[in-house]
Amino acid sequence: MKVMASSKQNLITLFFFYFFFFFASSSNINTTTENSSPTTTTTAETICNSTPYPSECISNLPPPQKLGTVRDFCIHFIHKSLTTTQQFLSLLNSYLNRHRHRHGADDFLTIPLLSKPIIGALQDCHLLAELSLETLSKTYQTLNSTNNNLINSFELAEEFHTFLSAVLTNTQTCLEGLEEVVGDSPSNPLTKVISVALSGGTKLYSISLALFKHGWVDDVSYNNNQPSTSAIVGGRRGKRLLQVGLGGVLVGESVVVNRNGTGNFSTINEAVAAAPNRSANSNITSYFVIYVAGGVYEEYVSIPSNKMNLMLIGDGINQTLITGNRSVVDGWTTYNSATFAVVSQGFVAINITFRNTAGAIKHQAVAVRNGADLSAFYSCSFEGYQDTLYAHSLRQFYRDCDIYGTIDFIFGNAAVVLQNCNIYPRKPLPRQFNAITAQGRSDPNQNTGTSIQNCNIRAAQDLVTANSTRTFLGRPWGEFSRTVFMQSYMDSVIDPVGWREWSGNFSLATLYYAEFNNSGPGSNTSSRVKWPGYRVISTSLEVVNFTLSSFIMGDSWLPTTGVPYTNGLL
């Protein structure tokens, strides 16, 4: 059915009005960081000056609130963020449902008013907003209890710090997906609508994050709740090595997937659907284990948030393969181009190859998108070109994995540690360069970043003869991009300057890029970039913050997975 241009414009105008009514806000970023005690009554101006958006902070306080504590203000803004997210979801629901009811459930994606890619991007936004709503609800309920000192340990404070960091990431991802399918032109009505909506939400989320960090994270004693520096520097290896027999890992139930029909299921998606639904409050430590027999599985797997503590075990790299070919060129958002996607807490994958076969010509094409907190991938392979491994959000660990790609092929805004992995830059399109990482930290208070330890970086076989291709350690996708390479081997494939800018001077002073005690011909730092945010770390004191024990609290959750790890420096 063809829709007249005037009707389309009316719908867009109505949509813009609703979004503007709920979310409109103004003013520019201010990065003043005045400190105030988190439990002492202080002026609103002093407290708001510790956030990136002081004027929005002041204007969103209920009159005549002039005094309060950092923690009280934080609870207020998290509640306001929660309400904003609920309104955003409600509008997305009404918009998507209107198309379903008008055209039927089967063909609403192909209507001329909004194309399939645009509807897909809005559905991404819906999923991301649902995840944010779940996170904000849990955070608000905890902080608004009769005793808001419940968050009294560094480990618990970092957990909620991680949750609030992910809310900002979800918001940014929604906008980026829409820009991919409709363009980022200021004159584009749909982009303008969502931009206005998300601008107000982003500022509220950023204020909440800043106040939480100041009110709880900075107020918890690091000495009493973090491992000692000597223990971290000395390091130790996890004692339990997970075998196919699952020694030392608590298994609640297990099923078998085999394409030949001899298992419980013939597809991975059927097995995932059969896994028990679990909430974040279930306190279940056992795993639902899905053993995937060797073979090629051509299916798109998405593991939702209610499938907690799910473990996927294959027969080995290049034995059990999950493959797909979605890409941005073919109309998918980067977020939804993933062959395999997971957002369920406590997910573990072992002995599996994840592949996106779209090829370099199709640009962004994700093999795995991971937004699962406390997730681990062990002895897995990730194969693609641009944007292979999307470490989207929350806390993640990768051990003994192989990762292949070209541009930004390890990217996202998770707090992620990679250990003992093989990183293989491969041959890109003509006149393209390779960038191993593109870390997306967009807010100075997010506890996110990419830590790469004891990994091997070598050219893939197809790149060995491509002498004209320049390969860099990374480039800053986010304004506060943060990436550390430590104790890793770098072959001569790495360009002597090491790093590449994203666009002009963007983030060069606000990023944090570091190298520590690396080896190999590509590790020579004498010709590295001279950016204000780049550094060569010479002592362990600073780099300890990016070890597994400190950066993702690995000692508190990895032992139950059975995956081996090093919690400190080698």
Side-chain angles (χ1 to χ4, degrees):
M1 175 181 175
K2 186 175 181 180
V3 178
M4 298 298 290
S6 58
S7 298
K8 177 179 178 180
Q9 187 61 48
N10 289 338
L11 284 172
I12 291 294
T13 301
L14 181 63
F15 196 39
F16 178 86
F17 171 79
Y18 280 132
F19 271 92
F20 186 85
F21 177 78
F22 282 117
F23 300 109
S25 59
S26 60
S27 192
N28 297 321
I29 293 177
N30 186 312
T31 56
T32 304
T33 56
E34 273 188 61
N35 291 323
S36 58
S37 171
T39 56
T40 302
T41 300
T42 314
T43 66
E45 183 178 5
T46 299
I47 292 174
C48 286
N49 280 341
S50 69
T51 75
Y53 301 100
S55 60
E56 282 78 7
C57 178
I58 292 289
S59 64
N60 278 285
L61 289 172
Q65 190 164 351
K66 302 297 183 183
L67 298 173
T69 70
V70 171
R71 292 185 175 184
D72 290 339
F73 278 37
C74 178
I75 292 170
H76 165 76
F77 275 100
I78 289 177
H79 182 261
K80 199 169 185 67
S81 297
L82 180 61
T83 302
T84 296
T85 307
Q86 290 170 330
Q87 293 167 343
F88 185 43
L89 263 174
S90 177
L91 286 171
L92 284 175
N93 275 329
S94 64
Y95 198 61
L96 291 170
N97 287 338
R98 183 161 62 245
H99 288 275
R100 289 191 183 97
H101 296 154
R102 186 170 183 174
H103 297 278
D106 293 331
D107 65 353
F108 82 99
L109 291 178
T110 59
I111 60 175
L113 175 61
L114 291 178
S115 65
K116 179 179 177 180
I118 292 176
I119 292 294
L122 291 175
Q123 289 174 324
D124 288 352
C125 289
H126 191 276
L127 171 61
L128 290 158
E130 284 185 322
L131 294 171
S132 294
L133 183 64
E134 184 179 330
T135 292
L136 290 166
S137 297
K138 181 178 180 179
T139 305
Y140 178 70
Q141 289 169 10
T142 301
L143 298 183
N144 199 43
S145 65
T146 54
N147 176 15
N148 64 24
N149 291 315
L150 286 174
I151 301 180
N152 57 8
S153 71
F154 180 79
E155 182 180 311
L156 196 55
E158 275 301 296
E159 178 177 325
F160 283 86
H161 190 188
T162 299
F163 291 165
L164 294 174
S165 295
V167 171
L168 270 174
T169 302
N170 293 342
T171 306
Q172 185 65 29
T173 303
C174 167
L175 182 58
E176 289 163 352
L178 283 162
E179 289 177 348
E180 284 177 339
V181 297
V182 301
D184 59 358
S185 169
S187 63
N188 186 288
L190 187 58
T191 304
K192 189 181 296 183
V193 165
I194 302 299
S195 295
V196 170
L198 296 183
S199 174
T202 296
K203 291 174 182 177
L204 289 175
Y205 303 148
S206 181
I207 292 167
S208 300
L209 175 63
L211 294 176
F212 180 83
K213 183 176 183 296
H214 181 49
W216 277 275
V217 178
D218 293 346
D219 195 48
V220 173
S221 170
Y222 280 64
N223 293 329
N224 294 332
N225 294 284
Q226 287 201 115
S228 67
T229 300
S230 59
I232 295 173
V233 174
R236 67 170 175 83
R237 297 187 181 275
K239 294 180 180 178
R240 290 185 289 183
L241 175 63
L242 184 60
Q243 306 292 344
V244 173
L246 300 174
V249 174
L250 186 58
V251 179
E253 185 181 353
S254 61
V255 296
V256 176
V257 176
N258 199 319
R259 291 177 64 252
N260 65 16
T262 60
N264 303 97
F265 304 97
S266 58
T267 71
I268 300 168
N269 280 308
E270 289 173 327
V272 170
N277 296 332
R278 296 167 169 174
S279 71
N281 299 320
S282 299
N283 293 322
I284 297 174
T285 57
S286 63
Y287 285 94
F288 182 87
V289 176
I290 301 174
Y291 166 65
V292 186
V296 178
Y297 294 82
E298 296 181 355
E299 54 179 310
Y300 296 96
V301 180
S302 181
I303 302 179
S305 61
N306 63 348
K307 303 295 183 179
M308 292 177 59
N309 279 28
L310 191 149
M311 183 177 287
L312 203 66
I313 302 176
D315 274 338
I317 291 175
N318 293 329
Q319 299 301 311
T320 299
L321 297 90
I322 304 174
T323 183
N325 63 0
R326 290 175 176 170
S327 69
V328 167
V329 169
D330 286 336
W332 301 91
T333 60
T334 298
Y335 185 81
N336 211 18
S337 70
T339 300
F340 186 93
V342 56
V343 293
S344 62
Q345 181 177 308
F347 175 79
V348 180
I350 303 155
N351 295 340
I352 298 174
T353 291
F354 303 92
R355 182 179 291 167
N356 190 312
T357 62
I361 195 68
K362 294 299 181 74
H363 302 295
Q364 297 97 325
V366 175
V368 166
R369 187 193 80 233
N370 184 5
D373 196 27
L374 311 180
S375 57
F377 286 75
Y378 174 50
S379 190
C380 291
S381 181
F382 307 86
E383 300 178 10
Y385 288 85
Q386 183 172 348
D387 291 2
T388 303
L389 174 57
Y390 194 173
H392 180 263
S393 55
L394 301 168
R395 292 166 290 186
Q396 309 178 12
F397 179 59
Y398 298 80
R399 172 81 178 203
D400 296 347
C401 293
D402 298 336
I403 309 166
Y404 297 82
T406 55
I407 299 173
D408 309 335
F409 64 96
I410 301 172
F411 77 112
N413 196 23
V416 54
V417 174
L418 294 88
Q419 281 184 358
N420 297 32
C421 293
N422 298 307
I423 299 173
Y424 295 111
R426 62 198 308 183
K427 185 178 179 180
L429 295 174
R431 294 182 296 280
Q432 282 187 336
F433 60 86
N434 288 332
I436 294 173
T437 64
Q439 207 283 323
R441 185 166 171 255
S442 62
D443 189 285
N445 292 304
Q446 287 178 309
N447 62 351
T448 56
T450 301
S451 174
I452 298 177
Q453 181 185 21
N454 196 35
C455 293
N456 293 300
I457 304 169
R458 293 183 171 90
Q461 192 58 45
D462 64 351
L463 185 62
V464 171
T465 57
N467 296 325
S468 61
T469 299
R470 301 181 70 184
T471 296
F472 303 92
L473 296 173
R475 58 180 186 149
W477 185 27
E479 185 176 358
F480 298 91
S481 183
R482 183 159 62 176
T483 303
V484 177
F485 284 82
M486 57 184 177
Q487 300 177 314
S488 293
Y489 176 84
M490 301 178 182
D491 210 344
S492 56
V493 67
I494 299 301
D495 194 276
V497 301
W499 307 80
R500 186 180 177 100
E501 59 280 327
W502 186 270
S503 178
N505 292 325
F506 171 73
S507 87
L508 301 188
T510 51
L511 60 77
Y512 181 101
Y513 282 173
E515 299 180 54
F516 171 77
N517 200 24
N518 297 302
S519 61
S523 67
N524 189 323
T525 59
S526 61
S527 298
R528 289 293 198 252
V529 294
K530 307 301 181 185
W531 304 339
Y534 169 75
R535 68 210 66 205
V536 177
I537 301 176
S538 58
T539 66
S540 60
L541 197 59
E542 182 177 354
V543 78
V544 152
N545 293 322
F546 299 97
T547 58
L548 177 141
S549 183
S550 295
F551 198 49
I552 59 172
M553 305 286 115
D555 287 319
S556 67
W557 58 274
L558 273 169
T560 63
T561 69
V563 174
Y565 65 90
T566 302
N567 73 347
L569 298 174
L570 300 176

